[in-house]
Amino acid sequence: MITHWPAPAKLNLFLYITGRRPDGYHNLQTLFQFLDYSDQLQITVDDSDSIQLLTPVAGVADADNLIVRAATMLKQAAQDKHCLPARAGAQIAIEKHLPMGGGLGGGSSDAATVLVALNHLWQTGFTPDELAAIGVKLGADVPVFVKGFAAFAQGVGEQLQPAEPEEKWYLVAHPGVNISTPVVFNDSELTRDTPSRSLSTLLAAPFTNDCEAVVRKRFREVDELVSWLLEYAPSRLTGTGACVFAEFDTESAARQVLELAPNGVRGFVARGVNVSPLQRTLRGD
């Protein structure tokens, strides 16, 4: 049986870098919220004993693709636990809507959806915490997508505290550039000493992103896009970019601004949601 699963986008409503760790990673404080806008995965389980990606990505070997890696890691963990038949397999296809290198978490969300969906379809019985522990090996953002609730994240992004930010409407715009996260985190001018604060303090302060200044300096297209959006609504970078977003109280207000987007800018309007579309699918909502 073919099943369909969303892999939703996320926004970092704020993002602060509080220090650099000895292993080279950064400690941060960020507020994740999902968008009701997703990649779409089609998954069929079978007894082929193989993981097959029906929609390979040009230039990326299947073995390096996060979708295949997530399925393979779950299969290995389940077989180590003796809760999956030896010949369990899956065929997976993806319809991409989230831009690569956009700061919307597309690759991490795809991996998380594979973990959650195959755990359900294979009936392997892993808890959300166990799936998150598998997922964090694939990327620091994977656990928030696995657990499926808006969250205040600390550490490298894996320490999650449920949160309920206002569910606004967002115009998300992509300037047509692909930004590598390591490029931003390795920049000598990146702010790395923002003081750690409580969630209540952060929610009462204006939301900003410590990565934005570096990205705007390095990428003229992002700088121009943020400047344009700020004419209409509070706007900022998500993650390490390249997408920027503006917040609105209504869908119609967001769509009116999207219609005015400069040439070459791609964008969409979506609702911010505190329960992931993946979780709603899992529950049968």
Side-chain angles (χ1 to χ4, degrees):
M1 180 179 68
I2 298 173
T3 61
H4 296 87
W5 301 83
K10 59 81 178 168
L11 294 178
N12 297 87
L13 298 184
F14 59 66
L15 175 59
Y16 306 111
I17 312 299
T18 59
R20 193 167 195 169
R21 297 151 49 113
D23 60 9
Y25 288 92
H26 290 76
N27 287 319
L28 53 84
Q29 293 187 304
T30 191
L31 181 60
F32 287 113
Q33 188 179 51
F34 303 103
L35 293 177
D36 198 8
Y37 186 85
S38 310
D39 288 343
Q40 296 293 326
L41 275 71
Q42 177 181 293
I43 302 176
T44 305
V45 295
D46 54 34
D47 59 359
S48 66
D49 194 32
S50 66
I51 307 297
Q52 185 178 7
L53 181 61
L54 303 179
T55 50
V57 177
V60 179
D62 282 1
D64 297 327
N65 189 295
L66 285 177
I67 289 173
V68 176
R69 291 176 61 198
T72 301
M73 289 174 66
L74 180 67
K75 180 178 178 179
Q76 185 61 58
Q79 290 180 339
D80 289 346
K81 192 179 173 183
H82 304 293
C83 59
L84 185 67
R87 295 193 56 78
Q91 297 181 52
I92 306 171
I94 182 168
E95 183 180 312
K96 284 293 293 181
H97 298 286
L98 309 183
M100 296 179 66
L104 300 177
S108 294
S109 185
D110 296 340
T113 291
V114 168
L115 292 174
V116 170
L118 286 179
N119 184 57
H120 173 77
L121 296 169
W122 279 339
Q123 299 182 359
T124 47
F126 287 106
T127 67
D129 284 343
E130 289 171 329
L131 290 178
I134 296 170
V136 76
K137 300 172 186 175
L138 297 164
D141 287 352
V142 177
V144 73
F145 287 109
V146 165
K147 294 193 174 183
F149 52 79
F152 174 51
Q154 300 187 88
V156 296
E158 86 289 2
Q159 300 172 25
L160 301 175
Q161 173 185 336
E164 295 186 358
E166 188 175 355
E167 294 181 325
K168 287 183 170 286
W169 284 93
Y170 296 101
L171 188 171
V172 180
H174 190 284
V177 296
N178 186 329
I179 297 178
S180 167
T181 297
V183 166
V184 178
F185 277 113
N186 289 328
D187 193 295
S188 61
E189 296 183 25
L190 178 67
T191 297
R192 296 182 172 88
D193 58 356
T194 298
S196 293
R197 290 163 287 176
S198 67
L199 177 58
S200 59
T201 298
L202 291 168
L203 290 174
F207 291 0
T208 59
N209 182 338
D210 281 344
C211 298
E212 186 172 309
V214 165
V215 173
R216 292 181 72 174
K217 183 175 180 178
R218 278 181 168 263
F219 298 90
R220 174 184 54 81
E221 299 91 341
V222 175
D223 181 58
E224 292 176 351
L225 189 53
V226 174
S227 297
W228 173 72
L229 276 174
L230 282 170
E231 296 179 15
Y232 301 97
S235 308
R236 54 199 173 275
L237 191 75
T238 180
T240 56
C243 286
V244 300
F245 65 97
E247 59 187 57
F248 298 86
D249 292 326
T250 66
E251 179 181 10
S252 62
R255 293 200 179 279
Q256 287 173 11
V257 175
L258 179 58
E259 291 177 1
L260 303 173
N263 290 336
V265 171
R266 295 167 294 174
F268 61 88
V269 170
R271 184 73 181 265
V273 292
N274 293 333
V275 177
S276 164
L278 174 60
Q279 287 300 312
R280 297 202 302 268
T281 297
L282 189 65
R283 297 187 317 214
D285 292 358

